[in-house]
Amino acid sequence: MHRVKFKAKNGTTYIYEGTTVWDEESKKYKTKRICIGKLDPESGELIPSKRLDMTEKIARDINKNNLGVMHAGHDMLLWSITQRINLDRIMKSAIPSDWRAVLAMVWYLVVESAPLSSCGNWMAFNQTPFVGKFSSRYIVEVLDRLSEEVQTQFYRLWNDTVADSSKMLYDLRSVSSYNTCYPSLAWGVNMVGCSPRQLRYIMVAGKNSMLPLYMESTETELHETTQVANLLRMMKKEGFCVEALNMDQEFYSIENITAMFVRRYSFLQAVRIQDAWICNLIEQNRDMMGDPSSLFLLDGRNYYTRTIAYTWEEEKKNRTVHHPCTVHLFYSQDIIGKDRDRFMHRIEQERERLEQHQGDSPEPHLSKFFIFGQHKYTGRRTVGINVEELELHEKTYAGFFAFLTNDPDLLDPVKVLESHRMQRTIERAFDDLRNDQDLLRIRIHEGNRLSPRLFLQFIASIYICELRKQLKETGLDGEYTYKEVLSQLKQVFVLSNRDHGGGSILPVSETQRRLMHILLPQVNLDGC
């Protein structure tokens, strides 16, 4: 490729760009030239031709005007959410000096779900409310300034803004970690049945708004209702009165459910599909899988559901007390594989425990899956798997899950599942909370730095929940998850000044245009 200058009779100097190609027919080299512009008579700089593609002209001006192409679609979407829920006003009031930096880190966590220490590199190519350099040291300084007083002020303003009169407590846990540097880690059972150390935290969310209102880490694991009662008393002193409980399967037991009825708690409890009473309900309601009226779609996944009026029996010395409640039974073909893997991990963990501790008995709901014997020479107990019972359980109950509730506001199975899905989405968003990269670069385990890191993730969960609500309201939840929407919009580029931000939108795809038309109707896409 070469350039040629040609001076016309009127004195204008034109610039031609030429390429030499081999012509098969004439067996000669031929030169193709195209006019790319003319020279400015004063400065001598190239003035691009109007016939050039707009993108090429923009690219030629990038270096001249310190311009850069930035990912910006996610910035437009998240900023619209910020203004719609008045989060910008709250941030400016609670965190006046660092609100832009905090929003930039939060948006990074929402879009990427990656170690916070990589935020600076990400911001070099992605538009955010913060403009400037963003190093690991600066991240540490911002985290250290997010004191308990700042967080309390934010929680107070946020709760006053949402003004949801009915609140529900969620018992959450983030992904497991084998790191020993975190004092807040406690031993527990993760989703695949292993027993590593976990960070536990409780979250209060509005039952009507479905938005997180408050979050706090806790070193105590909620295994008994007495622990829940102590936690509720502590939260009441802090000004958070909870009307309902949303407990996961780790809290489930016959004793705990009975105790919650006795204490007159309003609750939603995830049930283990292992006890006889829930297995009987499944057998009685298998016909729901052939009932089209029981089928609905949520987050791109099909579910069959049935709501059953149930009576929970509490055995006392001289009488039986009946507690009316509701069981929401669900079935999904899409989760059978995941359920099977999770259950197999749990069986294998229990088998290893029984082999190591010879005097222990299996958990009652798992005992039928094991066969015990005695070693011929050592006399030690051997533990085998009852394959027939295991296959029967898999064929019979895989894909089913259930919830038990006495809350009159949770009679709609779709609302129950939405609450459960919100909990799981937030837990997955916390999967990156503890990682070796942040441990080494921003020393997340030192002092009280884990608390502000959790605070950032809490704000990120607000955006995730609000975006999921927006997708449902616009009917996009059946086509896209919130991650898929962010992935599409992140590829919307703008040409902006590296020092001042802003800029013009570059051409977008049809999918991006449709998403922006639905989610960002205020953005003008004419000419894009």
Side-chain angles (χ1 to χ4, degrees):
M1 183 177 294
H2 61 275
R3 288 186 178 183
V4 177
K5 293 182 181 180
F6 174 77
K7 192 171 183 179
K9 292 182 180 181
N10 60 4
T12 303
T13 301
Y14 293 95
I15 304 298
Y16 287 83
E17 198 168 69
T19 56
T20 303
V21 296
W22 177 258
D23 187 4
E24 289 291 341
E25 294 183 2
S26 62
K27 304 297 180 180
K28 296 180 181 180
Y29 283 102
K30 289 187 177 181
T31 301
K32 294 182 179 180
R33 293 175 181 173
I34 183 172
C35 181
I36 63 173
K38 60 184 178 179
L39 293 182
D40 190 314
E42 296 181 0
S43 63
E45 295 183 355
L46 176 67
I47 301 175
S49 171
K50 294 181 180 180
R51 291 177 296 176
L52 289 178
D53 182 75
M54 182 63 68
T55 304
E56 292 184 18
K57 290 200 298 181
I58 290 173
R60 295 178 190 277
D61 287 340
I62 284 180
N63 293 331
K64 175 182 175 181
N65 300 313
N66 194 28
L67 299 177
V69 177
M70 306 283 284
H71 299 267
H74 62 282
D75 175 81
M76 301 175 194
L77 179 61
L78 296 178
W79 185 250
S80 71
I81 293 176
T82 305
Q83 295 177 319
R84 185 170 62 251
I85 61 180
N86 293 319
L87 202 53
D88 53 338
R89 177 180 57 82
I90 297 173
M91 297 287 286
K92 292 175 184 177
S93 178
I95 320 171
S97 60
D98 295 317
W99 72 274
R100 288 185 178 275
V102 170
L103 277 183
M105 290 188 286
V106 167
W107 291 6
Y108 166 73
L109 295 174
V110 173
V111 176
E112 300 296 339
S113 299
L116 187 61
S117 54
S118 302
C119 179
N121 297 331
W122 179 81
M123 285 177 58
F125 305 98
N126 292 268
Q127 190 166 283
T128 67
F130 185 89
V131 179
K133 294 183 179 180
F134 210 85
S135 63
S136 296
R137 182 175 181 178
Y138 183 69
I139 294 174
V140 170
E141 293 173 355
V142 174
L143 290 177
D144 290 341
R145 287 195 289 268
L146 295 177
S147 61
E148 293 294 335
E149 292 77 13
V150 171
Q151 297 178 40
T152 302
Q153 172 74 353
F154 176 88
Y155 286 132
R156 184 182 64 80
L157 294 173
W158 174 239
N159 277 264
D160 292 343
T161 301
V162 177
D164 198 324
S165 59
S166 185
K167 300 178 177 63
M168 176 174 281
L169 175 71
Y170 289 80
D171 176 27
L172 307 178
R173 66 207 69 241
S174 69
V175 74
S176 308
S177 173
Y178 295 90
N179 202 308
T180 59
C181 296
Y182 297 101
S184 300
L185 291 177
W187 293 99
V189 179
N190 65 6
M191 295 302 293
V192 296
C194 302
S195 297
R197 289 157 63 87
Q198 298 172 324
L199 176 68
R200 285 178 166 75
Y201 43 95
I202 53 96
M203 183 188 74
V204 178
K207 289 176 65 177
N208 300 320
S209 64
M210 297 294 288
L211 288 175
L213 302 176
Y214 173 75
M215 184 172 288
E216 184 177 357
S217 62
T218 174
E219 297 183 11
T220 59
E221 186 176 3
L222 299 181
H223 276 317
E224 301 176 356
T225 52
T226 53
Q227 296 170 327
V228 175
N230 294 334
L231 179 62
L232 293 178
R233 280 194 293 268
M234 179 195 70
M235 294 182 62
K236 189 174 182 180
K237 292 181 181 179
E238 296 178 357
F240 292 95
C241 296
V242 177
E243 287 75 26
L245 306 175
N246 190 321
M247 312 304 291
D248 64 7
Q249 287 189 3
E250 289 190 25
F251 185 77
Y252 171 81
S253 69
I254 302 297
E255 295 76 14
N256 282 342
I257 292 179
T258 302
M260 286 193 290
F261 276 117
V262 172
R263 292 175 179 268
R264 297 184 178 181
Y265 288 157
S266 180
F267 65 89
L268 175 67
Q269 173 66 63
V271 178
R272 288 178 181 159
I273 308 297
Q274 291 156 2
D275 290 346
W277 72 272
I278 189 64
C279 292
N280 291 336
L281 280 182
I282 291 176
E283 295 298 335
Q284 296 168 13
N285 293 275
R286 282 190 177 275
D287 60 321
M288 74 179 189
M289 291 184 289
D291 183 6
S293 63
S294 67
L295 179 66
F296 70 96
L297 182 70
L298 181 65
D299 292 341
R301 181 175 289 174
N302 290 306
Y303 297 92
Y304 292 90
T305 182
R306 179 158 295 177
T307 300
I308 307 163
Y310 191 74
T311 301
W312 189 269
E313 296 183 350
E314 176 192 356
E315 297 293 340
K316 291 193 173 182
K317 292 183 178 179
N318 301 324
R319 60 192 178 94
T320 300
V321 179
H322 298 278
H323 301 284
C325 56
T326 303
V327 176
H328 294 289
L329 191 61
F330 297 91
Y331 174 81
S332 176
Q333 182 74 24
D334 300 332
I335 66 173
I336 288 181
K338 185 182 294 184
D339 275 359
R340 182 183 185 279
D341 293 341
R342 185 183 305 168
F343 187 69
M344 290 300 179
H345 278 293
R346 186 71 187 92
I347 292 294
E348 179 61 20
Q349 182 199 22
E350 183 69 4
R351 186 188 67 80
E352 292 178 355
R353 184 184 70 85
L354 294 173
E355 285 184 343
Q356 294 174 3
H357 304 279
Q358 291 286 304
D360 288 1
S361 299
E363 294 185 20
H365 61 279
L366 298 178
S367 59
K368 64 180 180 180
F369 301 113
F370 297 102
I371 300 174
F372 298 99
Q374 189 173 15
H375 197 275
K376 182 178 180 180
Y377 300 108
T378 63
R380 288 175 56 86
R381 182 180 67 179
T382 60
V383 183
I385 302 296
N386 191 333
V387 179
E388 293 182 358
E389 284 289 341
L390 202 60
E391 290 180 350
L392 178 63
H393 178 85
E394 178 185 345
K395 293 177 181 179
T396 307
Y397 303 115
F400 284 94
F401 59 100
F403 297 91
L404 177 71
T405 183
N406 64 346
D407 191 338
D409 295 332
L410 295 176
L411 297 180
D412 182 5
V414 178
K415 187 175 181 179
V416 169
L417 192 56
E418 286 177 346
S419 177
H420 174 71
R421 295 281 292 173
M422 182 192 75
Q423 176 181 351
R424 288 290 175 254
T425 300
I426 293 176
E427 286 184 333
R428 284 194 293 270
F430 278 66
D431 281 358
D432 69 308
L433 192 59
R434 299 177 317 281
N435 54 79
D436 292 338
Q437 191 171 346
D438 282 352
L439 182 73
L440 296 173
R441 297 185 63 183
I442 61 178
R443 312 294 290 175
I444 201 70
H445 64 288
E446 289 186 352
N448 296 321
R449 206 165 287 161
L450 185 60
S451 177
R453 177 65 179 85
L454 182 68
F455 176 64
L456 293 180
Q457 203 72 48
F458 168 79
I459 303 177
S461 68
I462 294 176
Y463 282 97
I464 292 172
C465 293
E466 182 63 24
L467 180 53
R468 293 180 77 248
K469 283 176 56 181
Q470 190 175 0
L471 293 180
K472 182 183 177 183
E473 292 169 358
T474 55
L476 291 172
D477 58 327
E479 302 178 55
Y480 303 95
T481 65
Y482 84 93
K483 280 285 189 183
E484 291 170 342
V485 169
L486 289 172
S487 178
Q488 283 285 345
L489 294 184
K490 193 175 71 170
Q491 301 306 316
V492 175
F493 297 96
V494 298
L495 186 67
S496 63
N497 188 287
R498 294 187 178 96
D499 298 324
H500 307 293
S504 56
I505 303 175
L506 297 182
V508 298
S509 68
E510 288 301 320
T511 301
Q512 293 165 347
R513 184 181 298 274
R514 175 172 175 261
L515 289 175
M516 294 183 72
H517 177 72
I518 296 174
L519 300 175
L520 296 165
Q522 71 277 13
V523 177
N524 185 9
L525 294 177
D526 293 342
C528 296

